Amino acid sequence: MKENTGYGDIMELTEKFTFNPKEGIDNPALVISDDTAPAPGLEVRLCVLKRKEGESFGFHLRIERGCRGHVIRQVEPWGLAERAGLRDGDRLLEVNENFVDELEHIQVAQKIQVGGPQLCLLVLGGDEYDQAVSEGLDLRALARGQRGQDCARPRLCHITRDPGTGMGFSIVTVEGEKGKYSVSTVAGGPAERAGVRRGDHLVWINGAIASELTQSAINKMVKRCGNHLTVLVIDSESERSYARRRMPILPAMAGAHNLPHCPLRLHLQQGPDGYGFLLRQEKSASGRIDHRLREIDSGSPAELVGMQDGDALLAVNGEVVESMEHDDIVHRIRQSGQQVTLTVIHAQGRNFFTQLGLSPLLYHVHEKEQTNTTVPSAGSPKEEQADLPCPRLCVFERGPTGFGFHLGCFEQEPGTFIGQVAEGGPGQNAGLFQGDVVVEVNGQNVEEEFLEDVVLMVKEGGRSLSMLVVDRPGYKRLKQTGTPITPSLIPHFIKDEKTTDVSVM
């Protein structure tokens, strides 16, 4: 089953050419932006596209020789893209409020492909883009200035019911505004711990748009949700910014808080007998076609990186493959040679995101790498230690908006993990990944500390922060072996006595 994604030629390299207006119909651009121009002569344009099932967005995205940036080409006359204001030669700055100018082309293509039927693109005209680059302007600041300083991202929050306090929030209608709902939270309750703030406006609940529901329908959804509920919320000031720009608030724009079942990126090195798994195309009970990983061989490279029977394959070497045919996916894996990177999600996670109507690739992918291709054998303590998972020491400075990550906690027990990592922030640049278990903060072990105490330690540390973390599967394995988790497990750990920096080679 091949899906028409609405863009094409993702990695096509073409000679730069000049658009001939005689070959198409020029349509006045729909400009949706703040009143204040970010720079003289530069018009940043917000183009909002919404397609129906099976419909194309009506443009191609390319990289071109001798041409910087991600280029919009082949805008279909009278198509969705043209009606929304896209022009041939435009350069793409943001996709659903995610800055993409510095990303690899395949990453930008993936953001478009998994974003759903609605797409919000921030663009500059080709000549204006070249002018901005030649003048050394900060394109990220240019894009950020379009939405204003006080506009914050919406938050996608996964709430787990507490036996004592329930979900820890209530929903009330906003007086005088039909279809708008405000959230009131219990201090320290499950909703607040999941990232919901008092006074937030409810945008979306378990896949349903809140403005299309009555108060009674929302209350029923909350009662019937069982032990878990996922909501999209935003503060009222930011909501006004979106309304002013006539821009929808989409899950694809949100930062994820406490979201479970995130995808895994597995790096496999081929062994003597291959990778050790089978790929099968299967039809789920709902009729959805999935590509499932089956028959994981014991001791194979696939088993060693944490692949599980029934995992759904989402991407191969960063390329989304969900809508591809089975033979095409097999061909891409074989083309990889002796190593391949597979993005997968466990069966439970696949069902979770399907019920929400979201692609799991929208959210941060947890990295897991294991290059061993044989089962570790019994040996000396040094040999056994060499086969253990490797923690990471992440050292970084506070940026203008903080350290660039959020902390999450385990329900009613000590232990803290990285719940969200801001794209391009200090945390991501230092090597943090969503789901990492926090072992030490500034040299102090926090495995038995509660979230509030860990947050306080981070704040008291000032502008510098050092965190020892390990991915969750690795943490469980180290605990099973009884191995203390310290920086000494990091290969070539070197500490400079004069500074707080460390080198991890």
Side-chain angles (χ1 to χ4, degrees):
M1 292 179 63
K2 292 190 177 181
E3 180 184 359
N4 187 353
T5 59
Y7 66 96
D9 300 332
I10 296 307
M11 293 301 291
E12 181 177 354
L13 290 169
T14 65
E15 296 294 343
K16 187 175 181 180
F17 63 91
T18 303
F19 177 65
N20 183 356
K22 294 180 181 179
E23 296 177 356
I25 301 174
D26 287 330
N27 188 48
L30 171 63
V31 179
I32 308 176
S33 61
D34 287 341
D35 296 333
T36 305
L42 296 180
E43 181 185 67
V44 182
R45 306 195 318 277
L46 177 61
C47 303
V48 181
L49 295 75
K50 185 176 182 179
R51 70 179 184 186
K52 299 176 183 177
E53 187 174 354
E55 189 177 18
S56 166
F57 281 127
F59 71 94
H60 285 231
L61 183 68
R62 291 181 175 172
I63 50 175
E64 298 180 349
R65 292 190 183 96
C67 185
R68 177 176 159 175
H70 308 286
V71 188
I72 303 295
R73 291 297 189 197
Q74 298 182 16
V75 180
E76 294 178 5
W78 303 110
L80 282 179
E82 187 182 67
R83 296 199 305 272
L86 274 186
R87 304 167 184 165
D88 188 271
D90 281 344
R91 308 296 171 80
L92 192 56
L93 298 183
E94 287 188 349
V95 175
N96 290 331
E97 298 223 299
N98 294 290
F99 187 72
V100 299
D101 182 69
E102 299 167 350
L103 296 183
E104 294 291 332
H105 207 64
I106 195 169
Q107 293 176 288
V108 182
Q110 178 175 310
K111 287 186 179 295
I112 295 174
Q113 191 170 6
V114 304
Q118 277 191 285
L119 198 58
C120 297
L121 305 180
L122 194 68
V123 299
L124 265 179
D127 292 340
E128 294 170 311
Y129 180 92
D130 292 338
Q131 175 191 339
V133 171
S134 66
E135 294 176 0
L137 297 181
D138 186 341
L139 295 176
R140 186 185 289 272
L142 197 65
R144 188 168 55 244
Q146 181 270 347
R147 56 181 170 269
Q149 295 295 323
D150 297 328
C151 182
R153 280 178 178 270
R155 280 159 280 122
L156 192 67
C157 306
H158 184 71
I159 308 167
T160 301
R161 187 186 298 275
D162 184 276
T165 59
M167 291 291 181
F169 73 95
S170 59
I171 299 172
V172 297
T173 55
V174 178
E175 188 175 352
E177 297 190 67
K178 185 178 180 180
K180 286 195 175 182
Y181 300 94
S182 178
V183 181
S184 178
T185 59
V186 175
E192 193 173 88
R193 294 200 303 268
V196 182
R197 301 167 189 163
R198 178 179 291 273
D200 277 344
H201 283 191
L202 181 67
V203 179
W204 180 95
I205 178 169
N206 268 8
I209 300 173
S211 61
E212 298 177 357
L213 301 174
T214 64
Q215 175 81 59
S216 175
I218 290 176
N219 291 338
K220 287 179 181 178
M221 287 184 70
V222 175
K223 289 179 180 179
R224 295 174 181 173
C225 69
N227 291 323
H228 303 277
L229 183 69
T230 306
V231 297
L232 182 68
V233 295
I234 191 169
D235 68 87
S236 57
E237 181 63 33
S238 298
E239 185 183 49
R240 283 191 285 271
S241 172
Y242 280 89
R244 183 173 64 251
R245 292 176 285 151
R246 288 174 281 169
M247 188 174 183
I249 302 172
L250 307 174
M253 301 167 176
H257 289 248
N258 209 36
L259 205 62
H261 313 303
C262 288
L264 299 169
R265 188 176 289 128
L266 309 178
H267 305 286
L268 286 81
Q269 294 277 358
Q270 195 172 84
D273 300 319
Y275 292 119
F277 69 90
L278 293 180
L279 180 66
R280 290 181 179 171
Q281 184 169 296
E282 300 178 5
K283 195 171 187 178
S284 68
S286 64
R288 185 188 67 244
I289 299 296
D290 277 335
H291 302 281
R292 298 281 181 170
L293 305 170
R294 297 293 187 186
E295 299 184 31
I296 315 299
D297 294 338
S298 177
S300 67
E303 185 189 56
L304 290 174
V305 298
M307 187 182 293
Q308 297 180 13
D309 185 76
D311 283 353
L313 180 62
L314 305 176
V316 175
N317 295 328
E319 182 180 7
V320 180
V321 298
E322 290 181 276
S323 60
M324 289 185 183
E325 297 291 346
H326 174 82
D327 291 343
D328 293 332
I329 300 174
V330 172
H331 177 67
R332 280 165 170 74
I333 295 175
R334 286 174 176 168
Q335 275 188 321
S336 297
Q338 297 297 308
Q339 56 185 10
V340 68
T341 299
L342 304 180
T343 304
V344 307
I345 189 167
H346 296 328
Q348 186 179 6
R350 186 58 164 140
N351 294 334
F352 171 78
F353 283 100
T354 297
Q355 290 169 4
L356 293 180
L358 302 175
S359 168
L361 288 170
L362 280 171
Y363 305 102
H364 292 287
V365 176
H366 176 66
E367 296 274 1
K368 181 163 174 52
E369 182 167 8
Q370 170 61 266
T371 57
N372 289 337
T373 56
T374 58
V375 177
S377 58
S380 67
K382 286 186 178 181
E383 290 173 337
E384 291 176 358
Q385 180 168 314
D387 289 326
L388 291 174
C390 179
R392 306 185 312 281
L393 191 62
C394 303
V395 181
F396 46 105
E397 299 287 327
R398 183 191 296 272
T401 58
F403 288 118
F405 67 91
H406 289 280
L407 293 172
C409 63
F410 301 99
E411 192 72 9
Q412 295 185 329
E413 63 181 71
T416 308
F417 60 87
I418 304 298
Q420 180 194 9
V421 183
E423 185 173 347
Q428 185 185 65
N429 294 336
L432 288 181
F433 292 102
Q434 182 176 344
D436 284 341
V437 177
V438 181
V439 180
E440 290 183 2
V441 172
N442 292 332
Q444 183 173 341
N445 189 281
V446 296
E447 292 177 86
E448 297 301 319
E449 302 291 341
F450 286 90
L451 175 64
E452 294 79 7
D453 298 318
V454 178
V455 170
L456 184 61
M457 292 174 63
V458 171
K459 290 181 178 179
E460 290 177 343
R463 296 194 58 82
S464 298
L465 182 63
S466 169
M467 300 182 75
L468 184 68
V469 299
V470 63
D471 65 84
R472 192 171 297 180
Y475 180 82
K476 291 180 179 179
R477 186 177 166 201
L478 287 166
K479 284 299 179 183
Q480 288 171 354
T481 63
T483 305
I485 306 174
T486 66
S488 64
L489 292 178
I490 304 173
H492 307 293
F493 175 81
I494 304 170
K495 184 171 182 180
D496 186 342
E497 296 296 332
K498 297 180 181 179
T499 70
T500 58
D501 279 345
V502 293
S503 298
V504 181
M505 306 174 67

